[in-house]
Amino acid sequence: IKRRIPYPLVKDTIPSSILKNYVDLNCKYADITPELQQLAQSLVTENTPNNNASSNNDLFRAAFQLANWIHSNIRYSLVSMDLPQIQTATEVLASRYGKCDEMSALFVSMCRAVGIPARFVSGWAYTNNDVLFDEPWGGHMWAEVYFPDDGGVWVPFDVTYGQLGFLDAGHVLLQTSADVVESNVEYSASGLDFKCLKPEPLECVVRPQPQSLGAPYTSRQRPLIDIKLDAPIDRIGFGSAVVVLATVRNNEDYYVVTRLDLGKTEYTGILSNINYLWEGGRGKTQKENDEKLLLLLEPNSIQTIPIVLQIFPNSQQSSQFEYRFPFLLTSNLAGKPQGEIILHVGGRDAPIYNPEECFHPVDGSVIIPGTSREQQEEIFGNNDPMMQLPPPPTYDAAVPNNDSNEYFLDTQRSLQRIP
């Protein structure tokens, strides 16, 4: 999706068949109650950057708000596998757990409750979770949201995988439906003294194709996003809180949702995680003690995310020495973009800031200890040289790998994209 589509949707702009089949209907599993509708309505009208009016009028952001809430608050669980039937959307909302079809049911119900057409998609998907699943390929369900753009398009939202607005190549679509379907495939047989057939395990063989539409396969010529980490205060003592700023830039002309994962060292904790761009030094807290964050980036946009960290006291470390604490913020998108920073901890006269000094006493927004409001606005502003990212890199055609007949990027150049 490359442009903002106004929300709430005007029903006259949506085909009557879409409204009838994917909005104005009662379903067994995608059910709607006043409680569910109230929650969905609060999510699409709040939790935007400073409740910015223009952000509230964005269909993609509204769908993202619903999906992000489910991804953050509903725990993935296979408990219902042993039950006679799966949970409905309202039952998932009450239990706070579910598997892919149940989480998708809640998302579809929330969308429909606020006038957004949504449907179910069932198929196969790949997973590397060998703890819960014996096989890497298996049945899966996700959702699609209708965007009335260029004649209407269905956009995938997989709340289980956290892939919102896109899908990886490990998703294989088999069918779409207005409600949850129990199975994609049905078997039937009859005969004299017929005994039930026992199917063999399904064997899935996946081979990347070296040719696509007559052209050699190539990797992306630049990362979808760039990440840069900064710390206005990079020298602190053990026991101190510190604010780290993550600047994330969308290099594309369409909406991008990424999951950010913070890799941190021992003796470090996360006090808060801010989900939205600071505008004038304000932000909204998404979830405490969460090392993962889903971030929505509008086309060609830059967002600055403050993260408050706590360096735990450590009596085993000498106060005479300074220690280097590396932090790494990575994305799940292609190319694995990442940002890295090193904090200097300990040593003589190293300042120690209490956690309370990193939060505004009235609105709870993150502040940088020892700075005025004006200084913070300058630091968080995109015009500050410290926060500026270089222009998006451009590369020549991908470099062939003669050993495997595949193509890859010249990583030696791409690693230099952020000084």
Side-chain angles (χ1 to χ4, degrees), residues 7-304:
Y7 175 80
L9 294 173
V10 179
K11 287 195 172 184
D12 293 342
T13 64
I14 305 175
S16 58
S17 60
I18 297 294
L19 292 173
K20 177 182 177 181
N21 295 323
Y22 303 112
V23 179
D24 304 327
L25 75 166
N26 295 318
C27 293
K28 177 181 179 180
Y29 295 106
D31 58 342
I32 300 174
T33 62
E35 179 188 7
L36 185 149
Q37 186 170 25
Q38 183 180 7
L39 172 61
Q41 190 63 47
S42 68
L43 290 171
V44 298
T45 56
E46 298 177 0
N47 290 339
T48 57
N50 280 342
N51 291 324
N52 186 292
S54 63
S55 296
N56 287 339
N57 298 331
D58 187 342
L59 175 59
F60 199 109
R61 184 173 292 277
F64 169 79
Q65 291 300 116
L66 301 175
N68 189 32
W69 187 90
I70 295 172
H71 185 75
S72 301
N73 293 276
I74 304 299
R75 178 174 55 88
Y76 183 79
S77 172
L78 299 176
V79 170
S80 62
M81 293 281 288
D82 300 326
L83 301 178
Q85 67 177 25
I86 68 171
Q87 300 179 96
T88 65
T90 54
E91 289 172 339
V92 175
L93 182 61
S95 68
R96 289 296 199 270
Y97 68 81
K99 53 184 175 45
C100 61
D101 47 5
E102 297 165 326
M103 296 173 71
S104 297
L106 179 56
F107 175 69
V108 169
S109 293
M110 282 185 162
C111 286
R112 293 174 179 175
V114 292
I116 300 175
R119 67 184 183 184
F120 294 89
V121 181
S122 51
W124 284 75
Y126 176 85
T127 177
N128 57 3
N129 188 334
D130 56 4
V131 176
L132 294 178
F133 303 98
D134 296 330
E135 299 292 335
W137 287 92
H140 185 50
M141 181 167 286
W142 59 97
E144 288 181 338
V145 173
Y146 181 80
F147 281 71
D149 190 27
D150 296 330
V153 60
W154 289 96
V155 179
F157 278 73
D158 188 340
V159 294
T160 308
Y161 280 51
Q163 297 179 5
L164 312 181
F166 75 100
L167 293 176
D168 61 30
H171 285 68
V172 180
L173 184 152
L174 294 180
Q175 69 175 351
T176 62
S177 58
D179 201 6
V180 176
V181 291
E182 296 285 345
S183 175
N184 297 319
V185 181
E186 294 183 358
Y187 302 92
S188 63
S190 62
L192 181 64
D193 294 331
F194 180 80
K195 296 182 180 180
C196 181
L197 295 177
K198 183 179 180 181
E200 295 292 330
L202 181 64
E203 181 181 359
C204 294
V205 180
V206 180
R207 296 186 181 92
Q209 296 297 320
Q211 299 286 329
S212 177
L213 300 178
Y217 169 78
T218 59
S219 300
R220 288 190 51 81
Q221 294 190 12
R222 69 180 184 186
L224 281 172
I225 66 172
D226 282 323
I227 303 174
K228 183 180 181 181
L229 290 184
D230 286 288
I233 302 174
D234 64 355
R235 182 175 178 269
I236 52 176
F238 283 97
S240 177
V242 62
V243 177
V244 173
L245 306 177
T247 301
V248 186
R249 178 183 59 200
N250 180 5
N251 293 326
E252 304 301 329
D253 60 352
Y254 50 83
Y255 286 82
V256 170
V257 176
T258 178
R259 189 190 73 228
L260 299 177
D261 299 297
L262 180 65
K264 56 187 181 63
T265 60
E266 194 178 0
Y267 309 116
T268 308
I270 301 177
L271 296 180
S272 72
N273 212 342
I274 304 303
N275 193 20
Y276 296 108
L277 170 66
W278 273 51
E279 296 176 354
R282 297 172 61 89
K284 274 186 170 290
T285 301
Q286 181 205 27
K287 190 177 178 184
E288 291 188 0
N289 302 320
D290 189 0
E291 299 176 15
K292 298 181 179 181
L293 167 71
L294 283 181
L295 182 68
L296 170 61
L297 294 161
E298 295 183 3
N300 299 122
S301 64
I302 297 178
Q303 295 199 28
T304 302

